[in-house]
C-alpha cells in the first residue's frame, strides 16, 4: 500500500487506525499520474490505450483515495478478458463487494528487506473498476467506473487560501478513517501552523435525499492532542454518526469542509444549559 502526498504525521495516524489489519504496514512515496494521451482528461476517464497494454504479469493499482493525495494498493494481474480482470491472488481489504478505481501502475523501485520489503509505485491511467475483494483474488471490470465520495477541503490561513480535492472510497470499514486522515493531512500542510493555532471548521455532509448535514467544530490547542488532530477527530466523529448509521440507506454525495486557521488560542466552552419549558418536547418544537 502506497501513500502519496501525505505528511509523516498523517501516515502515522493511518497506521494507528489500521493497526491489526492487513493495511497496517504502508510505504510512503510514489506519485499519481495519467498517461500522456489522457493528461487533459478527468481523473475517472477510462483510457482504452492504457487498457490495451494490460496482460497477465502487468501491475495494476486499486485506489482507496485519489486526487491531490492518494492511497493505492498494487497487485499483479493474473488473468484478463474483455469482461473481467483478476489480480493479486489473495484478498486486499477482505471486504467482499467493493468499488475502487483500477489504474495502470509503474513499479519504480523495489526495496528488499527481510523486515519490511515494499515497492515504490506510480499509478497511471484509469482502466476500469475493481468490484470484488474475494478470498482468492481481487476482481474487476475493464472499462467500468468506480463510485467514490468527493471530498473538498478549503483552508483559510493568514498567509492565504489553499484547496484540497480528493475522492475517497465508499466502504464502511475504511471510509471514516480515510476521511479523517485526509482532513488531518490537509490541516498539517499549513507552513504557518503553530502550537497556538486554533481551527474553526464548517461545512456539510451531503446525503442523497436529505438536506446537507452541517459541520461546525472548534479545535484549540490542548494537552491531549494538537489542534489539527483534534479538529480531524471531531469532524470524523460527526461524519461517522451519519455514515455508519444503520438506518442510512441513501449514498453520500459529497463532503465539503471549510477550515479557518486562527493564529491564537480560540476556545468555545458550554458553561450551562437548561430546559425552560416544563411541557413534553416533541420533534419539530421550538424550545
Amino acid at each position: 500500500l502506497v501513500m502519496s502526498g501525505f505528511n509523516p504525521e498523517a501516515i502515522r495516524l493511518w497506521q494507528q487506525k489500521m493497526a491489526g489489519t492487513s493495511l497496517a504496514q504502508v510505504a510512503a512515496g510514489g506519485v499519481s499520474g495519467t498517461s500522456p494521451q489522457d493528461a487533459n482528461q478527468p481523473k475517472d476517464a477510462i483510457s482504452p490505450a492504457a487498457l490495451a497494454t494490460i496482460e497477465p504479469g502487468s501491475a495494476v493499482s486499486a485506489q482507496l483515495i485519489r486526487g491531490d493525495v492518494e492511497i493505492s494498493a498494487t497487485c499483479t494481474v493474473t488473468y484478463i478478458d474483455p469482461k473481467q480482470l483478476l489480480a493479486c491472488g489473495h484478498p486486499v481489504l477482505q471486504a467482499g463487494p467493493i468499488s475502487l478505481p483500477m489504474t495502470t501502475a509503474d513499479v519504480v523501485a523495489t526495496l528488499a528487506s527481510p523486515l519490511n520489503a515494499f515497492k515504490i509505485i506510480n499509478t497511471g491511467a484509469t482502466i476500469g473498476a475493481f468490484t470484488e475483494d474475494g478470498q482468492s483474488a481481487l476482481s474487476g471490470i475493464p472499462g467500468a467506473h468506480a463510485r467514490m465520495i468527493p471530498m473538498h477541503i478549503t483552508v483559510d490561513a493568514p498567509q492565504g487560501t489553499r484547496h484540497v480535492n480528493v475522492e475517497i472510497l465508499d466502504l464502511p470499514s475504511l471510509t471514516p478513517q480515510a476521511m479523517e486522515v485526509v482532513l488531518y493531512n490537509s490541516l498539517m500542510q499549513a507552513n504557518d501552523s503553530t502550537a497556538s493555532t486554533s481551527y474553526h471548521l464548517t461545512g456539510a455532509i451531503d446525503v442523497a435525499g436529505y438536506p446537507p448535514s452541517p459541520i461546525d467544530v472548534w479545535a484549540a490547542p490542548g494537552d491531549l492532542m494538537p489542534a489539527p488532530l483534534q479538529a480531524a477527530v471531531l469532524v470524523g466523529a460527526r461524519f461517522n454518526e451519519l455514515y455508519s448509521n444503520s438506518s442510512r440507506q441513501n449514498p453520500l454525495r459529497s463532503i465539503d469542509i471549510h477550515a479557518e486557521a486562527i493564529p491564537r488560542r480560540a476556545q468555545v466552552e458550554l458553561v450551562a444549559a437548561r430546559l425552560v419549558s416544563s411541557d413534553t418536547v416533541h420533534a419539530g418544537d421550538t424550545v
Side-chain angles (χ1 to χ4, degrees), residues 223-238:
D223 297 332
L224 297 179
M225 63 182 70
L229 179 57
Q230 184 184 159
V233 169
L234 290 173
V235 174
R238 172 64 176 156

Side-chain angles (χ1 to χ4, degrees), residues 161-184:
T161 300
R162 65 184 184 282
H163 303 276
V164 178
N165 298 294
V166 298
E167 292 178 314
I168 60 178
L169 78 169
D170 189 358
L171 189 66
S173 60
L174 285 178
T175 299
Q177 296 91 321
M179 189 282 302
E180 192 172 314
V181 171
V182 169
L183 178 56
Y184 179 49

Side-chain angles (χ1 to χ4, degrees), residues 33-88:
T34 56
S35 57
Q37 64 270 25
D38 293 333
N40 297 320
Q41 296 295 322
K43 195 67 177 179
D44 62 345
I46 303 298
S47 171
L51 180 57
T53 66
I54 300 299
E55 60 185 16
S58 299
V60 291
S61 290
Q63 294 182 305
L64 282 64
I65 298 173
R66 67 179 176 185
D68 292 339
V69 295
E70 180 179 299
I71 299 180
S72 59
T74 299
C75 291
T76 303
V77 175
T78 305
Y79 171 83
I80 184 172
D81 64 32
K83 295 183 179 180
Q84 179 178 229
L85 181 146
L86 301 178
C88 295

Side-chain angles (χ1 to χ4, degrees), residues 16-214:
Q16 293 171 10
K17 296 286 185 181
M18 296 298 106
T21 72
S22 60
L23 301 179
Q25 299 298 323
V26 298
V31 297
S32 61
T34 56
S35 57
Q37 64 270 25
D38 293 333
N40 297 320
Q41 296 295 322
K43 195 67 177 179
D44 62 345
I46 303 298
S47 171
L51 180 57
T53 66
I54 300 299
E55 60 185 16
S58 299
V60 291
S61 290
Q63 294 182 305
L64 282 64
I65 298 173
R66 67 179 176 185
D68 292 339
V69 295
E70 180 179 299
I71 299 180
S72 59
T74 299
C75 291
T76 303
V77 175
T78 305
Y79 171 83
I80 184 172
D81 64 32
K83 295 183 179 180
Q84 179 178 229
L85 181 146
L86 301 178
C88 295
H90 56 78
V92 175
L93 306 174
Q94 301 181 357
I98 56 175
S99 184
L100 298 175
M102 179 199 305
T103 74
T104 58
D106 178 25
V107 180
V108 177
T110 300
L111 302 181
S113 167
L115 178 64
N116 182 24
F118 62 91
K119 296 178 174 68
I120 299 298
I121 295 165
N122 295 338
T123 58
T126 304
I127 57 173
F130 285 107
T131 57
E132 188 76 21
D133 185 15
Q135 287 296 321
S136 58
L138 198 65
S139 64
I141 301 174
H145 292 274
R147 188 198 174 277
M148 305 284 278
I149 302 174
M151 181 174 180
H152 310 290
I153 303 171
T154 300
V155 181
D156 281 335
Q159 280 69 24
T161 300
R162 65 184 184 282
H163 303 276
V164 178
N165 298 294
V166 298
E167 292 178 314
I168 60 178
L169 78 169
D170 189 358
L171 189 66
S173 60
L174 285 178
T175 299
Q177 296 91 321
M179 189 282 302
E180 192 172 314
V181 171
V182 169
L183 178 56
Y184 179 49
N185 186 75
S186 302
L187 298 177
M188 288 297 296
Q189 286 180 339
N191 291 330
D192 55 335
S193 180
T194 66
S196 61
T197 300
S198 302
Y199 294 91
H200 183 204
L201 277 67
T202 56
I205 303 166
D206 191 358
V207 180
Y210 296 91
S213 180

